[in-house]
Amino acid sequence: MQQKIVILDFGSQTTQLIGRRVRELDTFCEIFPYNKFPKDDSDIIGVILSGSPYSVHDPKGFKVDLSQFIGRIPVLGICYGAQFIAHTLGGKVEKTAAHEYGRALLQEFDATDPLFKGFTPNSQVWMSHGDTITAIPSDCHVIASTNDVKFAAYASSKQPVWAVQFHPEVFHTTQGTQLLKNFVVDICGSRQEWSAASFIDSTVEELKKQLGNDQVILGLSGGVDSSVCATLLNRAIGKNLTCIFVDHGMLRKNEFQKVMNEYSGLGLNVIGVDAGEKFFKDLKGVTDPEQKRKIIGRNFVEVFNTEAKKITDAKWLAQGTIYPDRIESLNITGQTIKSHHNVGGLPKEMKLQLCEPLQWLFKDEVRRVGHELDMPESLIMRHPFPGPGLAVRILGDITPEKVEILQNADDIFVEGLHNWICEDGKPLYDHVWQAGAILLSTVRSVGVMGDERTYEHPVALRAVTSTDAMTADWAHLPYEFLAKVSNEIINKVKGVNRVCYDISSKPPSTIEWE
């Protein structure tokens, strides 16, 4: 039995953060749409109801049958989840005069309640709601209040039900991890058995059963996801794995040869395929970012199908798809946020079955698995890079000339991050989650270089910090570093006369520009 917490998603932007925090407690969890509770799953030890963009009074608001789990297993409602439980079980939820948004202090809390074990006085929490609970169900009692919110948290006296109107999953709730640990470990009884080592052991066994003696091909990109995926599969099926590295012409500068060299020491069977001409031809004149992704996804599979015919009895296509890829490709409302080349762009005529060993992992979990597999640090700590490559970092249509401009600018930026040593002795690269340059090829501006007037493109530099790939903040790079890199790009990269730095965060922005 693998214990699990089920998180029912009502459409909140922070649902995946709840999942990430639960995983940090060495406990497996799955996120399901609000109306897809797996009621026949005996491994479930607790349920968390997420927040939502809707009000409980909104006709469009998502609703769930609470009787499926209340009374059977412990339940924690967060924000909308707390309000929905109160509203459904006889309490009262009303519109507030102003949105309750931002930091608040728990001026009162029940230290004897297991949910608040270890809490300190005036603990900071993060509120984000337009409605508020004005009355709780008759079998419930208040367990925490702020200056403005009487029912900041409540619990049932008869059933294992807890609810909070604040967000314990976000950084601004200073003891949020403690609250979630109290629920997941103390209340639900998690044995905290989910770890990188246990994941490797169970996944290798599952892969052996799933794949048998079948031949498997895997697309390598040089990134941590596909690299860990390859190493994991190699441990499970060895010689039955053939890796294919497709050069679609939009990789980073000299990336193809670098990747081939790095994999040579891992004992992997890697075939390199130069397919740049095909990709550039099919992308000619295409400016829509979603269309770019679809074309690249389609071509990627077509190249794989061509190579698969050369491999006897190839039945499986393995991919390094991770959890955030799948979450971003389809949100709870069914509306696409951003499709991924290895999630939403696979055509029906694909001849191979999919194998996705990493599909439940967040990015930092993938890295922990890589460390456990004793992989080289250079592969494990490499920044994420989009599967479609620089195609999604060029605004406008894609041409070989534009790619070359961006490759040169991007190389100066990334190498600069490697070479800039910080006070702690580590390169600036290690303090950044993801970085890259973006070519604004649809924009030209006037500049002066020496005595000449120029009319060329700007390049935007993007660097973010993150722990889970679901949220990201712009990296506060030193001004001296930005000045040095900017000057080098303008002086060395023909076609660029202006450099800017992106200081937007995710959300509301995405990490990529497109």
Side-chain angles (χ1 to χ4, degrees):
M1 171 187 175
Q2 176 175 262
Q3 294 180 314
K4 72 174 70 169
I5 297 290
V6 163
I7 301 166
L8 292 183
D9 183 12
F10 289 84
S12 170
Q13 288 187 337
T14 61
T15 299
Q16 288 74 45
L17 282 181
I18 302 173
R20 189 64 206 88
R21 302 300 175 244
V22 172
R23 295 280 185 89
E24 287 173 355
L25 298 171
D26 300 321
T27 303
F28 184 68
C29 66
E30 285 189 55
I31 298 172
F32 288 90
Y34 67 97
N35 58 351
K36 301 291 183 182
F37 177 71
K39 56 185 177 182
D40 296 326
D41 191 340
S42 60
D43 294 342
I44 301 172
I45 60 172
V47 178
I48 298 177
L49 309 186
S50 81
S52 175
Y54 294 113
S55 161
V56 296
H57 301 295
D58 194 324
K60 297 179 182 178
F62 301 132
K63 297 174 175 58
V64 65
D65 180 4
L66 296 175
S67 66
Q68 295 178 93
F69 40 81
I70 282 187
R72 291 179 47 212
I73 45 182
V75 177
L76 173 64
I78 294 176
C79 197
Y80 177 89
Q83 295 178 356
F84 180 78
I85 293 172
H87 176 71
T88 305
L89 300 184
K92 196 171 184 180
V93 178
E94 296 181 289
K95 210 74 169 169
T96 57
H99 286 315
E100 292 170 345
Y101 182 85
R103 296 173 177 82
L105 301 179
L106 292 183
Q107 296 187 334
E108 296 180 16
F109 65 90
D110 184 354
T112 66
D113 190 279
L115 193 66
F116 287 102
K117 185 184 78 173
F119 264 58
T120 56
N122 295 311
S123 184
Q124 178 181 286
V125 298
W126 185 263
M127 296 284 186
S128 179
H129 50 88
D131 293 349
T132 196
I133 299 170
T134 55
I136 54 179
S138 58
D139 68 336
C140 294
H141 57 280
V142 182
I143 56 173
S145 303
T146 70
N147 188 49
D148 298 318
V149 182
K150 178 181 179 181
F151 303 108
Y154 66 91
S156 171
S157 305
K158 297 180 179 179
Q159 303 178 104
V161 175
W162 287 261
V164 297
Q165 287 201 86
F166 54 87
H167 287 271
E169 71 275 19
V170 302
F171 174 78
H172 302 297
T173 297
T174 53
Q175 292 187 279
T177 299
Q178 179 67 43
L179 185 147
L180 290 172
K181 181 181 180 182
N182 292 341
F183 178 74
V184 170
V185 179
D186 296 344
I187 294 173
C188 297
S190 169
R191 295 189 294 266
Q192 296 185 282
E193 297 172 334
W194 171 259
S195 66
S198 68
F199 171 82
I200 291 170
D201 292 341
S202 61
T203 302
V204 166
E205 288 305 310
E206 289 170 6
L207 288 171
K208 288 179 178 179
K209 292 177 183 177
Q210 179 187 21
L211 304 174
N213 199 39
D214 292 347
Q215 295 291 317
V216 180
I217 58 176
L218 165 68
L220 289 176
S221 66
V224 62
D225 300 337
S226 64
S227 301
V228 170
C229 186
T231 307
L232 197 59
L233 278 163
N234 192 47
R235 178 172 290 195
I237 62 173
K239 61 182 176 59
N240 287 340
L241 172 67
T242 300
C243 299
I244 300 173
F245 180 32
V246 177
D247 181 4
H248 49 37
M250 292 158 284
L251 298 172
R252 281 180 156 147
K253 188 174 183 178
N254 301 323
E255 184 81 352
F256 183 74
Q257 194 55 53
K258 287 179 182 177
V259 169
M260 294 296 286
N261 291 339
E262 284 180 324
Y263 286 133
S264 65
L266 287 176
L268 299 175
N269 176 25
V270 183
I271 299 172
V273 182
D274 181 2
E277 186 177 343
K278 173 180 174 59
F279 281 82
F280 279 118
K281 179 182 177 183
D282 291 349
L283 286 167
K284 186 176 181 179
V286 177
T287 59
D288 179 72
E290 273 297 300
Q291 191 65 20
K292 290 179 189 177
R293 285 182 177 269
K294 296 294 184 182
I295 290 171
I296 292 170
R298 183 194 69 211
N299 284 5
F300 195 73
V301 172
E302 287 178 1
V303 171
F304 260 86
N305 278 336
T306 300
E307 292 300 318
K309 294 174 184 177
K310 305 173 186 177
I311 303 170
T312 307
D313 297 328
K315 294 182 179 179
W316 297 88
L317 168 64
Q319 293 184 331
T321 310
I322 64 173
Y323 209 18
D325 293 341
R326 299 193 295 130
I327 295 299
E328 282 193 332
S329 287
L330 195 68
N331 70 9
I332 192 65
T333 63
Q335 177 185 354
T336 298
I337 300 174
K338 178 176 70 176
S339 66
H340 286 258
H341 72 288
N342 54 354
V343 177
L346 303 181
K348 295 179 181 178
E349 65 268 19
M350 189 182 72
K351 301 296 190 296
L352 302 173
Q353 300 178 73
L354 274 178
C355 173
E356 300 174 312
L358 308 181
Q359 63 176 314
W360 293 110
L361 299 185
F362 289 89
K363 179 70 75 173
D364 56 322
E365 291 179 308
V366 174
R367 288 199 167 106
R368 286 209 294 271
V369 168
H371 280 118
E372 193 72 27
L373 289 168
D374 294 323
M375 292 175 59
E377 194 76 7
S378 59
L379 281 177
I380 296 172
M381 299 312 294
R382 179 172 290 184
H383 287 177
F385 187 67
L390 299 178
V392 294
R393 292 183 177 175
I394 296 175
L395 272 61
D397 63 332
I398 310 298
T399 67
E401 294 75 21
K402 290 180 182 180
V403 170
E404 183 178 2
I405 291 173
L406 184 54
Q407 283 176 329
N408 290 331
D410 178 81
D411 186 62
I412 290 171
F413 182 35
V414 175
E415 285 303 306
L417 290 168
H418 278 294
N419 296 331
W420 189 276
I421 305 302
C422 301
E423 291 182 0
D424 61 1
K426 294 181 180 180
L428 188 54
Y429 184 90
D430 290 354
H431 291 275
V432 172
W433 167 266
Q434 187 173 6
I438 301 95
L439 178 64
L440 281 65
S441 75
T442 56
V443 178
R444 287 180 183 270
S445 65
V446 174
V448 177
M449 298 182 71
D451 295 326
E452 295 183 5
R453 182 178 183 273
T454 63
Y455 188 56
E456 295 175 331
H457 302 295
V459 158
L461 304 182
R462 176 78 156 140
V464 298
T465 57
S466 179
T467 58
D468 47 36
M470 301 310 305
T471 59
D473 194 12
W474 61 279
H476 295 231
L477 302 181
Y479 289 156
E480 296 82 4
F481 168 79
L482 290 172
K484 180 178 183 297
V485 167
S486 172
N487 188 58
E488 190 172 350
I489 289 173
I490 291 173
N491 285 334
K492 293 184 178 180
V493 182
K494 187 177 180 180
V496 176
N497 67 352
R498 202 175 293 272
V499 175
C500 58
Y501 185 57
D502 182 357
I503 61 170
S504 55
S505 298
K506 173 195 176 186
S509 301
T510 58
I511 292 177
E512 302 300 340
W513 270 51
E514 302 190 58

